[in-house]
Amino acid sequence: MVFVTALIIFLTCVVLSEAQHEPGYCTFYEECGRNPLLGETLIPPIVPCLNYSRARPVTGEHYRRIKEVCPILDRGENNTYACCSMKQLSSLEMSLTLSKAVLVRCPSCVENFAHLHCINTCSPNQSQTIKVTKVMNVTYLNKTKEAVVAYQAFLTTTFANGAFQSCRNVRIPATGGFAIATMCGRYGAKLCTPQRWYDFQGDSSNGLAPLDIDFRLIKEGTTEGLPEGIIPYNGRALKCNETTPSGGQVCSCQDCQESCPSVPPPPPPPSPFTLFGIDGFLMISVIWLLLLMFAFIFYLAISCFLLYKRRNDEEKRKGKGKDHNRNNVTEQVIHPSEVSCTDKNSLTAQAFLSLQFKNWGTLMATYPLIVLLVSFAVVVALSVGIKSIELTTDPVELWSAPSSRARQEKDFHDAHFDPFFRTNQVILTAPGRKGHIYDSLLFGPHNFSGLVSKDLIIQLLELQNKIQNIKFWSKDLNRTASLKDVCFAPLNPSNPSLTDCAVNSLPQYFQNSLDNINAKVNMTELGVTKEVDWRDHLIYCLNSPLSFKDITDLGMSCMADYGAPVFPFLAVGGYKNDDYTNAQAFILTFSLNNYIRDNPKFEVAMQWEKEFLKIVQDYQKNPASNFTFAYMAERSLEDEINRTTAEDIPIFMISYAVIFVYIAVALGEYSSWKRILVDSKFLVGLGGILVVACSVLASMGFYSWIGIPSSLVILQVVPFLVLAVGADNIFIFVLEYQRDVRRPGEKREEQIGRVLGNVAPSMLLCSLSESVCFFLGALSTMPAVKSFALYAALAVLMDFILQMTAFVALLSLDARRQDSNRCELLCCVTVSTQRPNKPNEGFLLPFMRKYYAPVLMNRYTRIIVMLVFIFMLCGSLFLMFKVTVGLDQELAMPTGSYMLNYFQYLYKYFEVGVPVYFVTKKGFNFTTVEGMNAVCSSVGCDQFSLTQKIQYATDYPDRSYLAIPANSWVDDYIDWLNPGSRCCRLYTFGPNAGKFCPASESPLLCVRKCMAPPANGVLRPSVEQFNRFLPDFLGNRPDLQCPKGGLGAYDTAVVRDASGEIIASRFMAYHTPLTNSQEFTAALLRARELAHNITMGMRKIPGTSPDFEVFPYTVTYVFYEQYLTIVPEGLFSISLCLLPTFVVCCLLLGLDLRSGLLNLITIIMIVVDTVGVMTLWGIDYNAVALINLVTAVGISVEFVSHMTRSFALSTKPTHVERAIEATANMGSAVFAGVAMTNLPGILVLGFAKAQLIQIFFFRLNLVITLLGIAHGLIFLPVLLSYFGPGVNKAVLLQLQQAKAKASQELDMGSNMRQVYDNMSYEDDEMKQYSNSTSKWDPTEREYREP
């Protein structure tokens, strides 16, 4: 037996050595059957017979077939010779058809590819380029023949390089990748070279080559080492920008860089704004700083000069006083003719308001129980609406207006296509595990990270199987549900099984089979025998994910079990330079169908995701797990936001409790420890809190009645805002009552009415300003801002109304109790210690009067304050231009949320961004040649077509944010129709004759092609053909015979109406990895610019509707669109809020424009300084921040308006004294009512878990409150002391007339002191500033002496 084997080998060598290499001779001819060395292959491995003989002339049918398959060999019917039979031509044609299916987009590439294989198989000079290296005896049709199972093919590097260059850039539209990646084995597109390309074509282990071909690339002119007689083939390879001899057109730009027109690069991003080489915003801020400081210093200098010049004249006047620089002057005597109309209006307005509120307060205090009962009934009537409240938790509904462009585009997309599928993902790592270098027999040394190991892959598969097998009872389906009920199954969407579900993971390269992972086999390559295993298969598949069979002897497919490829960036992450096996993360993704919320299956999907999270969380706790991982479900964002809201409710409750305790304690008088329970204001404080709560409930109930939804932001912010506003009014009212002394013969109810008449106009000024401010803020297009503004406006208005009714009644009842010396909580218990019959000023008022106000009004202090605040304003102006716009999605998560870990993994390990669709609307005719050319990117297409423009954009990913070009159903449809492939054929006979025949059917049944070869080489279907075969294309499942089938890739990408017109379609590309709000926003902007450019180009095509549009869509755009317009939106909203603060202030102060302007300037400074501090503290500007800035305007009104009104109505002789009086009297109430009410509650919020609350409620509200205190109690008094309005001459005239009348009536001339308080507070004599004062009661319109 050994002798026989040796003899056969000897004879084989003799035969091979005797073969001659001369022109006109064949090396092999005719087919000898299957290759005995190959097992199961993708196509039958038919090998030729060894036959050294002359080339045969071909005529008749043989000649026609040669002309069809290998036109390069055509020399005329009577002059054509070949070395291949009809059978060989058929086998060659079938083999070339598979390659043409992916290369057909570029005719010159197809021609070059077929060129060489025709030369090797059929050339009449075959023996000069071929050397047989291995033959075997093969029995075929009962005859044993010598079959060629391996040979060497010699060709020049010139031809090889030319052919390779013509094919290297040919695209696969369905994936956006390169066709060469599927034809270069383990090297993929990036590392492919001509030698590696031909090595793959000649490797019989790839499942396509019937025998081994050793391609030898020889430099032109080199003869050393060549077998005698061998002449390397040196035909001319066509360039990709050349037409083919058969009439094929030049390849398109997308497939051939040489065909690309000169396209200028996109403009670079705008450079930073500079002036003279310095930051422009810094220069502007410095210029403003210098201008304002110079203006202020110039004002001081002019004022000092004028005052010095007039000093002598002023000292001669009667009645000493002081001017605003506190120089002695004569008190001004007012003549009735000097009183302006404005002063008269101001006096009339104040007197009218005070009188009306006095009468109202007296009425409310007289019938407190009835008032409380009616107020309660009204609140209940409004609050009942809460039972039908609609709480918006969907982020889309919250932050995207229904009329916004992104929302309309999303609605269009979801209405015509399925909503973007639901992603459920696990990203797994194994830090600390050592990697290794694997020396592969086929692929050489490869680094394998510690993660990419067999045991971890098996563990990943076990986790995947556990998740895939989730089952649960569904009430909506009334049966047990599983993944297949809701999964995204692209290739079997109608009736999917578990294996049809789209699950992307690394085990899919092994079809999720443990046997495939464990498979190994010994393999011999180049005389070396080694074991190949899962690592060799994985290396191959990561570089050739579209392969149906690897090149190892394992012979396994790389396709996922659901029939589609798994691209490496979807399976692994954290690699560099396509070194996939050194990846640091596994990615496991389950894709579910997305349903509208009304669909019963939406709840099923939510339920499945709940079970998914449960399994993953349990697995994470398992100590046996070797993975460190992060995970998320589609529902996770909404779940975590709702969870943290629920968990932080106690924090808000504690915050409100702290505020309540403060109010209850701070409102007490505490004249004696024996009267603590009598003088405390626990019930009044509780009543004030209840008034706030009732106003919020009434607001929520009213809007629920009329169908305006609420949100968690409203529940968190509005009570806080109304409490800040309400507490201020409560303090002003109660403190005024405590500082007042009941007049002789005056009833308690009358005193309460009189006190209310004094302070209610100020309360009205603030409440009305804020309410109008928020109502105007509701003009915002952002739903969350709009609903917040509406709820806040009505709540503030209701709070004022209830304070004017229920709280006045409550204070009346409490005053009655206090007058009776009864304890607060123990009403039946009385104390003997009587209430002192003098005003109770507390601690704050004397402190501010004696210490704080005088220090603040010191001439040097005032200058320092002005300069410091001018510097703060200009500095904040500079910082305002540097504020970051956006809201990173991780900030919406609570501290410690598993989603924070997921976002960290996502940004660290993902190598590609989210998919983006370019969607076409109705109005474009795809069925015409012009229409197809305006969209496609293959042969004959416009150089600036839709897909081509997207391709140009991907050449600059750092500017366009596009990483992978768009797929194109039009391109693949045209390729699918190409008669050169097996995709589109028709049944020749039988019941289905004339109907579409899939590629899987035998060629004998389907001889007819859908279309004939085009005369000009550019295939375009007619309108009738386009409409006829499009449904077949969209329903054709891709396979090896026809990889261009549209099922899965395009069946949901084209939407047609009943008439067959395409009313919507989409083309999918991929963004680059986007990691923050700024990148997401920039990507949206660039995509819209590109889509607009495409739209303008396509509208030029004849027959296109003028309103036709292309728009980009991805799931994130609806959230980030707001950042494109949020700056002007914010300026608009805040400006609308500032307007009523000015107008209302002017109107209620009797058209006092100066007071209104100073009021406005101070509030603007607070807002500008707030944004500046936001930049310093890392608080981004977004919709949540905008809500807080709108709130800041409202709270600033409380800090500013009371003080401005107090100053405007003061009749002290100098600006400084009036500022001191306003600061002491009103400033103390504002500090106690606004600042000290807000601060304790805000500090408690610092303990909240939600980052949104910590940043935008704790930090931002703390900034707003502190800046409000600084501007309201430091800057504004100083500003008023310099630029405030003069004394109201109408009031001075009335006081003079009252004094004259009083002097006539009291000619005894007693030294009674005169008291006047600008805010109508009862105040003690300010001895250090005035020898005598007076009190003007606007409700009585006359001077009063006690």
Side-chain angles (χ1 to χ4, degrees):
M1 185 65 184
V2 174
F3 173 76
V4 173
T5 302
L7 180 61
I8 290 174
I9 294 174
F10 172 76
L11 293 175
T12 299
C13 294
V14 169
V15 170
L16 296 179
S17 65
E18 289 179 352
Q20 300 295 314
H21 302 288
E22 53 184 322
Y25 278 81
C26 304
T27 301
F28 47 75
Y29 188 83
E30 197 51 86
E31 292 184 343
C32 272
R34 288 182 61 91
N35 188 337
L37 297 177
L38 300 182
E40 184 179 350
T41 57
L42 299 174
I43 60 174
I46 306 300
V47 292
C49 300
L50 181 67
N51 190 336
Y52 182 74
S53 58
R54 285 190 174 275
R56 280 76 167 169
V58 291
T59 58
E61 180 64 18
H62 197 176
Y63 169 74
R64 187 185 67 80
R65 293 289 290 154
I66 280 282
K67 194 173 180 179
E68 284 181 2
V69 180
C70 296
I72 192 74
L73 300 177
D74 179 21
R75 299 293 183 273
E77 185 168 4
N78 298 319
N79 198 35
T80 300
Y81 293 82
C83 289
C84 56
S85 66
M86 290 277 286
K87 290 183 179 180
Q88 284 180 284
L89 276 173
S90 297
S91 297
L92 176 62
E93 182 182 32
M94 180 168 53
S95 179
L96 291 178
T97 297
L98 296 177
S99 301
K100 285 181 179 180
V102 293
L103 299 175
V104 70
R105 290 166 51 85
C106 183
S108 56
C109 167
V110 171
E111 195 108 348
N112 290 333
F113 186 86
H115 186 152
L116 180 62
H117 290 285
C118 283
I119 293 298
N120 288 347
T121 306
C122 295
S123 171
N125 301 316
Q126 188 184 63
S127 65
Q128 287 187 299
T129 60
I130 294 296
K131 179 184 177 182
V132 175
T133 56
K134 188 174 185 179
V135 297
M136 292 189 68
N137 285 336
V138 174
T139 301
Y140 182 62
L141 298 178
N142 297 322
K143 293 182 179 179
T144 302
K145 295 182 179 180
E146 286 183 309
V148 177
V149 294
Y151 66 82
Q152 292 178 330
F154 297 87
L155 62 157
T156 64
T157 55
T158 303
F159 176 83
N161 290 336
F164 176 75
Q165 291 299 327
S166 70
C167 293
R168 70 176 307 169
N169 291 314
V170 176
R171 296 272 184 178
I172 300 178
T175 66
F178 293 98
I180 204 80
T182 67
M183 307 175 70
C184 212
R186 62 188 183 272
Y187 298 106
K190 190 173 183 179
L191 300 178
C192 196
T193 63
Q195 183 66 64
R196 291 169 177 173
W197 186 42
Y198 283 116
D199 285 347
F200 179 82
Q201 294 176 41
D203 190 345
S204 61
S205 63
N206 63 22
L208 298 172
L211 72 170
D212 288 318
I213 306 173
D214 180 12
F215 287 96
R216 297 296 180 95
L217 276 56
I218 309 298
K219 287 185 178 181
E220 197 170 349
T222 300
T223 57
E224 184 179 352
L226 286 177
E228 185 179 352
I230 289 290
I231 302 175
Y233 182 72
N234 192 28
R236 181 178 179 274
L238 298 170
K239 295 181 179 179
C240 60
N241 61 344
E242 287 185 276
T243 58
T244 66
S246 58
Q249 298 296 307
V250 299
C251 304
S252 70
C253 171
Q254 195 171 58
D255 302 314
C256 174
Q257 291 183 354
E258 291 82 355
S259 296
C260 292
S262 178
V263 179
S271 56
F273 172 53
T274 58
L275 288 174
F276 309 109
I278 302 174
D279 189 310
F281 297 119
L282 177 62
M283 284 291 292
I284 291 174
S285 301
V286 170
I287 291 172
W288 268 105
L289 176 65
L290 296 177
L291 286 176
L292 290 175
M293 286 190 170
F294 173 78
F296 176 65
I297 294 172
F298 181 74
Y299 166 80
L300 288 180
I302 295 298
S303 298
C304 290
F305 173 75
L306 293 176
L307 292 173
Y308 177 79
K309 186 177 180 181
R310 294 182 303 190
R311 178 178 298 176
N312 293 332
D313 295 336
E314 292 171 345
E315 289 178 350
K316 296 177 183 180
R317 296 180 182 177
K318 294 180 181 180
K320 298 252 178 143
K322 294 181 180 179
D323 66 0
H324 65 281
N325 274 333
R326 305 183 68 176
N327 299 314
N328 289 330
V329 296
T330 306
E331 187 179 83
Q332 186 177 7
V333 178
I334 304 298
H335 189 272
S337 62
E338 298 180 34
V339 178
S340 67
C341 183
T342 301
D343 288 342
K344 290 179 182 179
N345 290 338
S346 178
L347 178 62
T348 302
Q350 298 305 315
F352 174 78
L353 290 174
S354 295
L355 180 60
Q356 298 306 315
F357 279 115
K358 174 185 177 181
N359 295 333
W360 176 265
T362 303
L363 179 65
M364 295 298 104
T366 303
Y367 306 101
L369 294 179
I370 295 176
V371 172
L372 288 173
L373 184 61
V374 173
S375 300
F376 178 75
V378 172
V379 169
V380 169
L382 291 174
S383 301
V384 168
I386 294 179
K387 65 181 176 58
S388 57
I389 190 171
E390 180 184 344
L391 197 63
T392 302
T393 57
D394 185 356
V396 175
E397 298 290 339
L398 271 178
W399 305 113
S400 180
S403 60
S404 69
R405 177 178 170 182
R407 184 71 175 277
Q408 290 180 336
E409 290 171 349
K410 179 184 185 300
D411 292 343
F412 179 91
H413 177 274
D414 293 350
H416 290 83
F417 311 98
D418 293 331
F420 205 87
F421 52 78
R422 303 176 66 88
T423 300
N424 300 271
Q425 200 164 66
V426 187
I427 305 174
L428 306 100
T429 63
R433 285 176 62 107
K434 291 185 177 180
H436 67 281
I437 297 176
Y438 175 63
D439 189 10
S440 170
L441 172 68
L442 296 171
F443 312 124
H446 267 71
N447 290 321
F448 275 70
S449 66
L451 174 77
V452 186
S453 60
K454 184 177 179 180
D455 61 322
L456 291 187
I457 294 174
I458 293 174
Q459 286 187 34
L460 176 61
L461 178 59
E462 291 171 352
L463 174 62
Q464 177 180 318
N465 289 335
K466 193 172 184 180
I467 295 172
Q468 270 186 299
N469 293 323
I470 288 175
K471 292 183 179 180
F472 56 91
W473 178 260
S474 169
K475 292 182 181 179
D476 298 276
L477 300 180
N478 197 30
R479 60 175 173 81
T480 301
S482 65
L483 176 62
K484 68 179 182 179
D485 292 301
V486 291
C487 74
F488 174 62
L491 296 179
N492 188 15
S494 57
N495 186 29
S497 64
L498 273 181
T499 54
D500 291 320
C501 294
V503 179
N504 290 316
S505 66
L506 188 138
Q508 285 283 24
Y509 290 124
F510 303 90
Q511 295 75 52
N512 299 327
S513 168
L514 189 60
D515 291 338
N516 286 352
I517 296 174
N518 289 322
K520 50 188 176 183
V521 65
N522 288 329
M523 181 176 177
T524 302
E525 179 77 5
L526 300 177
V528 178
T529 301
K530 289 182 69 174
E531 185 179 81
V532 294
D533 57 15
W534 65 272
R535 289 170 291 194
D536 301 89
H537 177 72
L538 183 62
I539 294 170
Y540 179 83
C541 290
L542 286 170
N543 289 281
S544 298
L546 293 169
S547 297
F548 287 88
K549 184 176 182 293
D550 67 21
I551 62 174
T552 72
D553 283 358
L554 293 170
M556 295 187 297
S557 172
C558 295
M559 305 294 280
D561 64 352
Y562 66 93
V566 176
F567 297 104
F569 58 78
L570 296 177
V572 292
Y575 51 83
K576 295 181 179 179
N577 300 322
D578 295 343
D579 187 11
Y580 303 121
T581 57
N582 205 21
Q584 300 301 310
F586 289 149
I587 302 171
L588 173 60
T589 307
F590 292 83
S591 299
L592 308 187
N593 288 319
N594 209 345
Y595 306 94
I596 59 174
R597 291 179 178 256
D598 296 337
N599 191 318
K601 282 203 170 184
F602 175 80
E603 289 300 327
V604 181
M606 294 285 281
Q607 228 176 323
W608 187 91
E609 289 171 359
K610 186 176 181 180
E611 297 297 323
F612 163 80
L613 290 172
K614 197 179 297 182
I615 287 178
V616 173
Q617 289 164 353
D618 290 342
Y619 187 79
Q620 192 174 41
K621 298 173 185 175
N622 186 356
S625 171
N626 292 313
F627 290 116
T628 300
F629 60 89
Y631 57 91
M632 65 85 68
E634 186 73 22
R635 63 177 292 160
S636 293
L637 276 173
E638 194 170 329
D639 283 353
E640 287 297 278
I641 292 173
N642 293 339
R643 178 179 70 83
T644 185
T645 301
E647 290 180 353
D648 284 331
I649 285 178
I651 298 294
F652 279 92
M653 293 299 101
I654 293 172
S655 175
Y656 294 139
V658 169
I659 294 173
F660 163 66
V661 171
Y662 165 74
I663 292 175
V665 172
L667 286 178
E669 297 183 70
Y670 312 117
S671 58
S672 168
W673 68 270
K674 294 180 180 179
R675 290 181 55 86
I676 286 180
L677 294 180
V678 177
D679 294 336
S680 66
K681 288 288 184 289
F682 179 84
L683 292 179
V684 173
L686 178 60
I689 298 290
L690 289 177
V691 164
V692 170
C694 288
S695 63
V696 174
L697 290 174
S699 175
M700 295 179 66
F702 173 77
Y703 286 118
S704 298
W705 276 120
I706 63 177
I708 295 179
S710 181
S711 68
L712 295 174
V713 175
I714 292 173
L715 297 180
Q716 293 168 342
V717 181
V718 171
F720 200 83
L721 169 66
V722 180
L723 188 58
V725 174
D728 185 30
N729 289 342
I730 290 170
F731 269 87
I732 290 174
F733 185 25
V734 174
L735 291 181
E736 171 72 357
Y737 177 75
Q738 291 174 351
R739 295 171 184 176
D740 187 71
V741 176
R742 191 174 303 164
R743 297 175 183 176
E746 188 178 41
K747 295 180 180 180
R748 179 192 313 105
E749 292 78 11
E750 292 174 346
Q751 181 192 10
I752 292 175
R754 179 171 51 80
V755 170
L756 184 66
N758 292 339
V759 299
S762 185
M763 296 163 65
L764 175 64
L765 169 62
C766 292
S767 298
L768 189 59
S769 297
E770 292 158 357
S771 187
V772 175
C773 158
F774 291 128
F775 274 123
L776 290 176
L779 295 175
S780 170
T781 59
M782 202 173 298
V785 177
K786 182 175 183 176
S787 59
F788 161 77
L790 286 172
Y791 275 79
L794 186 56
V796 169
L797 194 60
M798 283 298 302
D799 183 58
F800 175 75
I801 293 172
L802 290 175
Q803 285 175 344
M804 294 297 103
T805 53
F807 189 76
V808 172
L810 185 64
L811 184 63
S812 176
L813 291 174
D814 188 73
R816 185 184 303 174
R817 174 199 60 78
Q818 192 174 11
D819 289 347
S820 302
N821 291 330
R822 287 180 297 185
C823 294
E824 190 162 28
L825 297 178
L826 304 172
C827 299
C828 298
V829 179
T830 60
V831 297
S832 58
T833 304
Q834 295 297 313
R835 180 183 181 185
N837 190 24
K838 61 178 182 179
N840 182 10
E841 295 184 345
F843 163 76
L844 199 56
L845 176 59
F847 169 78
M848 299 192 77
R849 179 194 299 145
K850 294 178 181 179
Y851 303 106
Y852 177 75
V855 172
L856 181 64
M857 289 298 119
N858 179 277
R859 67 174 62 189
Y860 300 110
T861 305
R862 289 191 296 151
I863 294 173
I864 292 173
V865 167
M866 289 298 295
L867 295 179
V868 168
F869 276 82
I870 287 173
F871 178 80
M872 285 174 56
L873 173 65
C874 295
S876 297
L877 187 65
F878 166 70
L879 293 171
M880 184 173 69
F881 290 107
K882 302 297 181 182
V883 70
T884 302
V885 177
L887 175 63
D888 292 335
Q889 50 189 342
E890 55 263 37
L891 292 182
M893 300 296 100
T895 305
S897 169
Y898 66 85
M899 286 298 293
L900 294 177
N901 197 30
Y902 171 77
F903 287 131
Q904 181 182 354
Y905 275 51
L906 180 69
Y907 299 149
K908 183 176 182 180
Y909 295 118
F910 262 62
E911 304 297 329
V912 71
V914 293
V916 53
Y917 295 104
F918 287 85
V919 182
T920 66
K921 290 186 175 181
K922 183 178 180 179
F924 185 80
N925 191 352
F926 287 89
T927 64
T928 65
V929 174
E930 294 85 356
M932 285 181 272
N933 289 343
V935 174
C936 66
S937 57
S938 55
V939 177
C941 299
D942 295 342
Q943 291 185 325
F944 295 96
S945 65
L946 181 151
T947 48
Q948 196 59 64
K949 286 181 178 179
I950 298 174
Q951 164 67 28
Y952 296 148
T954 59
D955 293 337
Y956 302 91
D958 56 328
R959 301 182 193 177
S960 67
Y961 296 94
L962 291 175
I964 298 177
N967 62 15
S968 172
W969 64 267
V970 176
D971 284 274
D972 277 340
Y973 181 38
I974 294 172
D975 294 345
W976 182 83
L977 289 169
N978 196 305
S981 72
R982 291 185 58 180
C983 291
C984 192
R985 303 176 301 164
L986 301 176
Y987 284 104
T988 309
F989 50 83
N992 295 322
K995 294 183 180 180
F996 169 70
C997 172
S1000 55
E1001 290 283 5
S1002 168
L1004 299 177
L1005 298 175
C1006 312
V1007 177
R1008 289 176 57 195
K1009 300 286 187 177
C1010 294
M1011 292 187 64
N1016 62 354
V1018 178
L1019 181 74
R1020 294 292 183 270
S1022 65
V1023 174
E1024 188 274 332
Q1025 290 171 323
F1026 188 101
N1027 291 323
R1028 176 186 176 186
F1029 297 118
L1030 181 59
D1032 297 324
F1033 164 70
L1034 297 176
N1036 187 205
R1037 181 175 181 134
D1039 54 24
L1040 178 64
Q1041 304 297 329
C1042 178
K1044 295 287 185 176
L1047 182 64
Y1050 302 122
D1051 57 310
T1052 60
V1054 183
V1055 181
R1056 302 195 301 165
D1057 61 14
S1059 66
E1061 180 185 0
I1062 296 174
I1063 57 175
S1065 70
R1066 63 184 184 183
F1067 303 80
M1068 185 179 73
Y1070 278 90
H1071 275 305
T1072 55
L1074 308 173
T1075 60
N1076 55 47
S1077 293
Q1078 293 72 46
E1079 291 182 356
F1080 277 104
T1081 307
L1084 167 60
L1085 187 60
R1086 298 286 90 79
R1088 282 188 172 175
E1089 290 174 353
L1090 176 58
H1092 175 73
N1093 185 287
I1094 293 171
T1095 299
M1096 293 298 101
M1098 295 179 71
R1099 283 182 182 176
K1100 297 176 182 178
I1101 303 301
T1104 302
S1105 172
D1107 61 350
F1108 169 76
E1109 183 184 5
V1110 178
F1111 67 85
Y1113 171 76
T1114 192
V1115 68
T1116 60
Y1117 285 172
V1118 74
F1119 301 112
Y1120 292 99
E1121 183 195 37
Q1122 58 180 297
Y1123 303 123
L1124 296 177
T1125 59
I1126 197 168
V1127 172
E1129 172 92 12
L1131 291 174
F1132 175 74
S1133 298
I1134 293 174
S1135 299
L1136 284 180
C1137 287
L1138 291 171
L1139 181 62
T1141 65
F1142 172 74
V1143 174
V1144 174
C1145 183
C1146 290
L1147 291 177
L1148 294 185
L1149 291 178
L1151 300 178
D1152 185 351
L1153 296 178
R1154 187 184 296 188
S1155 294
L1157 185 60
L1158 295 177
N1159 207 49
L1160 180 64
I1161 289 173
T1162 308
I1163 295 174
I1164 291 175
M1165 290 179 66
I1166 294 175
V1167 174
V1168 171
D1169 288 354
T1170 299
V1171 179
V1173 177
M1174 284 171 58
T1175 305
L1176 291 177
W1177 209 351
I1179 304 173
D1180 293 348
Y1181 173 68
N1182 47 55
V1184 183
L1186 177 56
I1187 289 176
N1188 280 276
L1189 289 175
V1190 172
T1191 305
V1193 175
I1195 294 178
S1196 299
V1197 170
E1198 295 292 326
F1199 281 111
V1200 173
S1201 295
H1202 292 300
M1203 188 77 69
T1204 304
R1205 180 177 182 273
S1206 180
F1207 180 90
L1209 297 181
S1210 175
T1211 56
K1212 290 291 183 182
T1214 68
H1215 279 68
V1216 170
E1217 288 176 312
R1218 294 165 66 200
I1220 288 175
E1221 187 180 41
T1223 303
N1225 292 338
M1226 186 54 71
S1228 60
V1230 170
F1231 182 78
V1234 185
M1236 294 309 297
T1237 301
N1238 284 6
L1239 283 175
I1242 290 172
L1243 293 175
V1244 172
L1245 294 181
F1247 296 97
K1249 292 183 179 180
Q1251 295 184 87
L1252 274 180
I1253 294 176
Q1254 289 179 355
I1255 294 173
F1256 296 103
F1257 296 101
F1258 166 62
R1259 289 191 201 175
L1260 196 49
N1261 279 307
L1262 182 63
V1263 169
I1264 292 168
T1265 302
L1266 293 178
L1267 288 174
I1269 294 172
H1271 285 79
L1273 301 182
I1274 299 175
F1275 173 73
L1276 182 59
V1278 174
L1279 183 68
L1280 291 169
S1281 72
Y1282 281 117
F1283 306 104
V1287 178
N1288 190 312
K1289 293 182 179 180
V1291 175
L1292 286 179
L1293 178 61
Q1294 184 172 317
L1295 287 175
Q1296 289 176 15
Q1297 293 171 348
K1299 286 181 181 179
K1301 182 179 178 181
S1303 64
Q1304 292 174 4
E1305 294 177 354
L1306 302 175
D1307 52 2
M1308 298 298 294
S1310 61
N1311 291 324
M1312 303 288 289
R1313 63 188 178 87
Q1314 301 173 351
V1315 180
Y1316 171 74
D1317 182 8
N1318 64 322
M1319 290 295 292
S1320 300
Y1321 284 103
E1322 190 68 33
D1323 195 5
D1324 288 342
E1325 181 183 12
M1326 299 176 66
K1327 296 179 181 179
Q1328 65 271 39
Y1329 299 110
S1330 177
N1331 292 327
S1332 63
T1333 58
S1334 58
K1335 179 92 174 181
W1336 172 68
D1337 190 339
T1339 66
E1340 299 178 6
R1341 300 295 301 273
E1342 64 180 13
Y1343 175 75
R1344 171 181 56 81
E1345 286 196 23

